[in-house]
């Protein structure tokens, strides 16, 4: 179990919070477990959801690029919970599992175009070494993205980096809240969850 308890979604009476939990059940990213932890502090949960909506789900930067950056962060900080999630919208926009498999090698992988590599290079700089954001990278960033897009992308990378490190310390796991839903799960994570459910129900 996580180091911070989950709030039972069935106890939520605030319509806004209930709507956030229903979206987590139907679509994932974020999944119900992380949202059930945020329910302990409703203003924080609402603020997070507003930021996530503006930086990730909506905005001026294509969603698939933001999802690749989120997954790079997840794989590089080894957050299995976040790395086991997928955005349905990003998949519809062309993000693929083979890209996820090679995301830590994005600089040399042929599965990424230069725009995607540039965004991922910035994610790496923000997460690990700001010095990597040299003049050459900034030239590429300005070639591929407008300044409003850069503001959005940079804020999203920073938000997902902090959230993923936070959730990793808490020890959140899939299937611990609203276990009947696999919305927003990676194929292998959904399969693992279903296998665990079958084993648990076997006499």
């Amino acid at each position: 179990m996580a180091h911070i308890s989950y709030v039972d979604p069935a106890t939520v009476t605030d319509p806004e919070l209930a709507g956030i939990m229903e979206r987590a059940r139907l679509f994932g990213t974020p999944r119900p477990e992380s949202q059930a932890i945020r329910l302990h502090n409703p203003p924080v949960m609402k603020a997070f959801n507003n930021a996530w909506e503006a930086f990730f789900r909506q905005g001026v930067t294509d969603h698939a690029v933001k999802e690749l950056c989120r997954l790079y962060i997840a794989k590089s900080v080894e957050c299995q919970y976040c790395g086991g999630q997928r955005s349905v919208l990003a998949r519809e926009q062309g993000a693929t599992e083979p890209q996820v498999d090679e995301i830590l090698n994005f600089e040399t992988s042929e599965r990424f175009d230069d725009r995607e590599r540039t965004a991922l290079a910035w994610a790496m700089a923000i997460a690990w070494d700001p010095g990597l954001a040299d003049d050459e990278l900034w030239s590429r960033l300005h070639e591929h993205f407008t300044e409003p897009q850069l503001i959005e992308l940079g804020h999203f990378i920073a938000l997902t980096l902090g959230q993923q490190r936070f959730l990793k310390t808490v020890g959140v796991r899939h299937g611990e809240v609203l276990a009947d839903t696999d919305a927003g799960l990676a194929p292998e994570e959904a399969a693992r969850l279903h296998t665990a459910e079958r084993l648990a129900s076997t006499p």
Side-chain angles (χ1 to χ4, degrees):
M1 293 294 292
H3 297 292
I4 298 176
S5 63
Y6 299 115
V7 174
D8 183 352
T11 66
V12 175
T13 58
D14 182 320
E16 183 178 352
L17 296 176
I20 293 171
M21 290 305 300
E22 179 64 7
R23 194 199 181 286
R25 186 183 71 81
L26 292 174
F27 302 107
T29 56
R31 289 271 302 161
E33 298 83 11
S34 61
Q35 295 290 52
I37 284 175
R38 295 183 185 103
L39 280 173
H40 280 292
N41 191 318
V44 169
M45 182 172 185
K46 291 178 180 181
F48 170 80
N49 193 70
N50 289 338
W52 197 252
E53 187 73 30
F55 298 169
F56 185 51
R57 297 192 196 117
Q58 306 297 324
V60 294
T61 309
D62 44 315
H63 184 78
V65 166
K66 291 185 282 190
E67 171 72 346
L68 289 175
C69 289
R70 185 190 70 80
L71 287 165
Y72 169 79
I73 296 296
K75 298 294 185 180
S76 65
V77 304
E78 299 181 338
C79 179
Q80 294 182 349
Y81 178 76
C82 299
Q85 298 181 47
R86 299 290 184 273
S87 165
V88 175
L89 176 58
R91 188 179 302 128
E92 292 172 351
Q93 291 185 0
T96 66
E97 284 302 305
Q99 282 184 312
V100 179
D101 292 340
E102 297 186 17
I103 204 158
L104 293 181
N105 300 311
F106 70 87
E107 294 169 296
T108 57
S109 172
E110 295 182 358
R111 297 193 183 278
F112 304 91
D113 60 30
D114 191 57
R115 188 168 187 269
E116 292 166 336
R117 288 192 193 95
T118 299
L120 290 166
W122 199 25
M124 181 168 65
I126 292 171
W128 298 110
D129 182 3
L132 295 173
D134 56 14
D135 289 344
E136 189 272 336
L137 177 56
W138 275 108
S139 177
R140 291 167 57 199
L141 285 165
H142 283 292
E143 176 185 352
H144 291 292
F145 300 95
T146 66
E147 292 191 331
Q149 288 175 325
L150 290 173
I151 292 296
E152 179 180 293
L153 183 60
H155 276 74
F156 172 68
I157 292 167
L159 175 63
T160 196
L161 172 63
Q163 284 296 311
Q164 291 193 35
R165 288 185 178 275
F166 161 66
L167 292 173
K168 188 175 179 181
T169 69
V170 174
V172 181
R173 296 289 182 269
H174 293 295
E176 295 184 333
V177 175
L178 300 179
D180 61 326
T181 177
D182 61 5
L185 285 180
E188 67 275 11
E189 187 65 14
R192 184 199 65 76
L193 191 62
H194 294 319
T195 299
E197 290 172 351
R198 285 195 300 271
L199 291 174
S201 62
T202 301

